[in-house]
Amino acid sequence: MDCKVIGLVGPLACGKGVVADYLIKKYGYTSFSLSSIVHKEVEKRGIKTFTRTTLQDIGDELRKIEGDGVLAQRAIQQLKGKCNKIIIEGIRNPGEVKFLRSIQGFFLIAVDAPKKVRFERVLKRGKPWDPKDWESFLTVDGRDQGDKTNNSGQQVRACMELADMLVANNKDTQKLHDEIEKSLKMLF
């Protein structure tokens, strides 16, 4: 695959989408969210009402059955021949990072923000599957961050430790854009 591939990893509502939007608008990247694969699986199974826990369970199940890199593999397969600049959003398992590292020139950016800021963003964006209160947020976020007993599960923190660059997103959009530009200078 002859593409520039940037991976984005980070906890729930840290701003991965904001980073992706910036790269799309300024540099012409195409973005693909790994969670879209899980959403398609939910649809295929006929599940009408679901929560973030449902999405986590299905993602874990796919990884257990098809290997920990399955979501990244499916994403790259779907994107073959479609562009030369790709963003892969929502990396949640080291197996996905391992697969993406097999692509020459892959670069992984971790995005992070304080927990309270992320909770406010979750409430503001109002996705139907997102947690609606602090306790539910902590439960879902904790699982997303990593369960050391489930290698095929969500392991966002472990993936963040594999990143080439960490970008802080603490509400200052200009500072975030500056951090992205620093990351791109390292990349190119």
Side-chain angles (χ1 to χ4, degrees):
M1 175 178 239
D2 188 24
C3 277
K4 294 177 183 172
V5 181
I6 296 176
L8 296 177
V9 62
L12 175 64
C14 67
K16 296 178 294 291
V18 175
V19 173
D21 288 345
Y22 180 77
L23 294 171
I24 291 164
K25 289 175 185 161
K26 185 153 186 191
Y27 295 102
Y29 276 80
T30 296
S31 181
F32 189 94
S33 174
L34 295 184
S35 66
S36 69
I37 294 167
V38 180
H39 281 268
K40 284 181 186 172
E41 187 68 23
V42 166
E43 187 178 307
K44 185 172 117 180
R45 294 178 184 194
I47 301 169
K48 302 290 183 213
T49 305
F50 57 92
T51 63
R52 184 159 295 275
T53 301
T54 309
L55 297 171
Q56 290 173 326
D57 289 344
I58 291 173
D60 290 4
E61 181 185 319
L62 290 173
R63 287 187 207 95
K64 283 177 185 166
I65 294 168
E66 298 181 44
D68 292 342
V70 65
L71 300 180
Q73 292 166 358
R74 287 186 184 186
I76 294 301
Q77 192 63 31
Q78 289 179 35
L79 291 167
K80 271 192 176 172
K82 292 187 178 175
C83 68
N84 63 358
K85 295 178 183 178
I86 297 173
I87 300 164
I88 302 292
E89 287 184 67
I91 295 167
R92 289 185 171 84
N93 185 282
E96 295 158 359
V97 176
K98 182 179 179 182
F99 173 77
L100 292 167
R101 289 259 185 236
S102 71
I103 298 169
Q104 185 176 1
F106 172 73
F107 190 81
L108 183 61
I109 299 174
V111 184
D112 207 355
K115 206 172 277 199
K116 295 246 185 216
V117 170
R118 295 187 297 108
F119 176 63
E120 290 169 15
R121 290 176 183 162
V122 164
L123 294 178
K124 186 176 180 182
R125 72 185 187 186
K127 290 182 180 177
W129 52 82
D130 274 342
K132 308 297 183 230
D133 59 67
W134 179 247
E135 290 304 316
S136 299
F137 172 80
L138 291 176
T139 299
V140 168
D141 188 56
R143 180 176 175 187
D144 204 40
Q145 297 281 336
D147 175 0
K148 294 185 189 319
T149 64
N150 181 5
N151 289 338
S152 296
Q154 323 294 306
Q155 296 183 30
V156 170
R157 281 292 157 195
C159 294
M160 290 177 73
E161 291 171 10
L162 298 171
D164 300 298
M165 170 69 78
L166 173 65
V167 175
N169 181 16
N170 55 9
K171 288 194 175 183
D172 183 343
T173 306
Q174 185 55 54
K175 186 176 178 185
L176 176 63
H177 291 172
D178 293 345
E179 291 293 318
I180 296 167
E181 290 299 328
K182 274 199 272 186
S183 296
L184 292 177
K185 284 180 184 164
M186 283 182 58
L187 175 59
F188 303 115

